[in-house]
Amino acid sequence: MYACKADKRIGYKYLLFDVSAVTIELHQITTRGVFEMKKRIFALVITSALITILMTGCGKANENVSTQSGSNSRESEAVTENTAITLTSEITELEDGFSAVQFEGDDGFQAFLEAGGASSDGEVVAFLSSHLLADFDILGSLFGCSTIAVQSPGGEQLFGRNFDWQNCDALVISSKPKTGYASISTVNMDFISQSGGLVGAVLELNDIRTLAALYAPLDGMNEAGLAVSVNMIQDSATIEQNTNKPDITTTTAIRLLLNKAANVEEALELLRQYDMHASMGMMIHLALTDTTGRSVVVEYVNNEMIVTQTTVVTNFYLAEGEKNGIGTAQSHERYEILTQTLSENETMDMQGVRDALDSVSKDTFGEFESTEWSIVFNLNSGTAHYYHRENYDNRYTFRIK
């Protein structure tokens, strides 16, 4: 099956993003800069802005995404076969429903942690509102995902991930925070929408939208070689740990790990230092892998954190015990397909992982949903291959090293 697919993929369209190429100074968002902006905004208008961060729902985008480079932007090149395009701090639309942006500076996340984190989406909203001059709401619904971890023939560690949902706008963020590891992560752009007259127009400069998106990643890889993905479990239970530790929510936990953990062991130690609270009360689990080849899933059963060794994660509990196997029927089918693929392939290259993700994409099951993005991370080289809406003949390549 895979050999046949490889024949079809002669003459791919490749896009290569080297986010380390620096030519122009990036305008950095600092706390001081935010408050200066606040003074300028309120000197001009008295109005309101609404920024809605949707953790899991998708819909049609209503915003026009800027593709122009700002004069204060740091630039990096994206190269297709014969054409060079520019990736900057302005959100750049690469194709319908798929965009990318580069961020460098103070993401405020260290201040978020030092303030005690957040035990609910509302508290995340309150923190962001105080920094971003806007009011937030957090809503959401269910999504499906699949992940796979495997070693390449050359000994590099690979991690593949599908995000399944209805058509929505994906944003790839290359982040170089002032404090923490550089990373690449993916956010649903429909998580962030805005309105509010002239204030909304100011926000169209994208800086604030990008900063807010940093708090809502669904997956990612950092420069140290850690990869993480959040996958939903369809279960009526939720996660509400209350042990007097600092608090963290689903997506801020992903940002925590990308910014601060170099490997799975450090990620687990970080998670143990916080009380986890599920966004919107949705049950989730976290797939983690690193350059040593260690791959685990972190699950919460009766608010107890349980770690299970596994190279495949979909949307049902893998921890032994009362919850084992609870999840959707299709998630079991996807798990079996990927497990069988690994049993037949001791090693896989990045194209092989792509084909494995294709084999469990939503089109395979003939459902109304689509696989909005598929990613293959090479944890050793810091390379990420992205495929949008099951078009596995069109590859976007990003690098963080």
Side-chain angles (χ1 to χ4, degrees):
M1 177 176 66
Y2 296 146
C4 181
K5 290 184 178 180
D7 290 340
K8 293 179 182 178
R9 289 180 165 81
I10 296 174
Y12 291 142
K13 178 182 179 183
Y14 294 130
L15 293 179
L16 173 64
F17 296 79
D18 183 355
V19 299
S20 63
V22 178
T23 57
I24 301 177
E25 180 182 359
L26 171 69
H27 170 67
Q28 296 185 1
I29 302 176
T30 65
T31 301
R32 179 181 177 184
V34 168
F35 285 117
E36 289 176 351
M37 181 184 294
K38 181 175 183 180
K39 292 178 183 177
R40 292 195 297 270
I41 290 172
F42 285 102
L44 292 172
V45 295
I46 300 176
T47 185
S48 63
L50 173 63
I51 297 180
T52 304
I53 297 182
L54 306 176
M55 292 297 196
T56 52
C58 297
K60 186 175 181 180
N62 295 318
E63 301 168 4
N64 294 322
V65 181
S66 172
T67 60
Q68 300 300 317
S69 302
S71 59
N72 293 325
S73 299
R74 165 175 285 179
E75 298 181 353
S76 57
E77 287 191 344
V79 182
T80 184
E81 292 174 324
N82 299 308
T83 306
I85 62 176
T86 301
L87 181 63
T88 73
S89 59
E90 295 291 323
I91 296 174
T92 301
E93 187 176 52
L94 306 176
E95 64 175 78
D96 183 34
F98 190 70
S99 303
V101 68
Q102 181 172 294
F103 173 86
E104 183 170 344
D106 184 3
D107 60 8
F109 196 74
Q110 186 61 36
F112 170 78
L113 296 177
E114 291 173 356
S119 63
S120 68
D121 297 327
E123 290 183 10
V124 177
V125 163
F127 175 83
L128 291 174
S129 295
S130 69
H131 285 69
L132 305 182
L133 320 179
D135 295 325
F136 288 78
D137 283 323
I138 295 182
L139 305 171
S141 53
L142 306 179
F143 59 90
C145 309
S146 303
T147 68
I148 181 174
V150 65
Q151 189 176 75
S152 75
E156 296 175 311
Q157 297 301 320
L158 309 180
F159 181 77
R161 189 280 212 275
N162 279 350
F163 176 76
D164 303 327
W165 190 237
Q166 303 170 24
N167 282 1
C168 52
D169 287 341
L171 175 67
V172 179
I173 301 181
S174 169
S175 172
K176 295 183 178 180
K178 183 177 179 180
T179 303
Y181 293 113
S183 66
I184 290 174
S185 59
T186 326
V187 180
N188 186 326
M189 275 301 287
D190 290 348
F191 293 178
I192 301 175
S193 62
Q194 59 194 14
S195 62
L198 294 179
V199 172
V202 172
L203 296 180
E204 282 293 339
L205 295 175
N206 291 322
D207 290 343
I208 293 177
R209 291 168 57 212
T210 299
L211 187 60
L214 288 168
Y215 287 72
L218 297 177
D219 49 52
M221 168 183 65
N222 67 21
E223 64 179 320
L226 175 76
V228 57
S229 168
V230 58
N231 294 16
M232 180 210 70
I233 300 176
Q234 192 167 329
D235 186 18
S236 59
T238 188
I239 308 169
E240 285 292 341
Q241 292 186 310
N242 291 289
T243 63
N244 295 319
K245 298 176 184 177
D247 298 300
I248 205 81
T249 59
T250 301
T251 59
T252 53
I254 296 178
R255 177 52 56 197
L256 170 73
L257 301 184
L258 291 176
N259 280 18
K260 294 186 171 295
N263 51 49
V264 168
E265 188 56 41
E266 289 186 12
L268 296 177
E269 180 57 31
L270 277 171
L271 290 174
R272 292 186 183 104
Q273 294 174 23
Y274 289 84
D275 279 341
M276 176 68 79
H277 302 270
S279 296
M280 289 78 63
M282 287 172 35
M283 179 56 68
I284 57 91
H285 52 186
L286 300 171
L288 302 171
T289 192
D290 62 26
T291 55
T292 70
R294 186 178 181 188
S295 298
V296 305
V297 64
V298 178
E299 297 175 328
Y300 294 85
V301 178
N302 298 323
N303 290 317
E304 178 186 356
M305 177 176 150
I306 300 176
V307 179
T308 304
Q309 301 289 132
T310 182
T311 53
V312 175
V313 180
T314 57
N315 304 109
F316 65 89
Y317 288 97
L318 290 167
E320 294 296 328
E322 62 182 288
K323 293 286 189 176
N324 182 261
I326 292 177
T328 64
Q330 189 202 91
S331 67
H332 282 266
E333 187 175 354
R334 285 184 274 117
Y335 179 87
E336 293 299 328
I337 292 171
L338 292 177
T339 301
Q340 181 64 29
T341 298
L342 287 178
S343 71
E344 296 171 354
N345 298 273
E346 184 176 347
T347 63
M348 301 169 68
D349 60 16
M350 295 184 77
Q351 289 70 34
V353 176
R354 170 205 61 197
D355 290 344
L357 295 174
D358 187 3
S359 73
V360 293
S361 65
K362 284 298 183 176
D363 183 63
T364 302
F365 298 93
E367 294 192 352
F368 73 93
E369 297 174 336
S370 70
T371 296
E372 283 298 285
W373 64 80
S374 300
I375 320 166
V376 184
F377 290 136
N378 184 316
L379 306 184
N380 295 84
S381 69
T383 301
H385 290 176
Y386 275 79
Y387 304 91
H388 185 231
R389 291 182 183 164
E390 304 181 53
N391 182 358
Y392 294 101
D393 292 334
N394 190 47
R395 184 180 84 197
Y396 296 89
T397 298
F398 297 79
R399 290 199 178 104
I400 54 175
K401 292 185 178 180

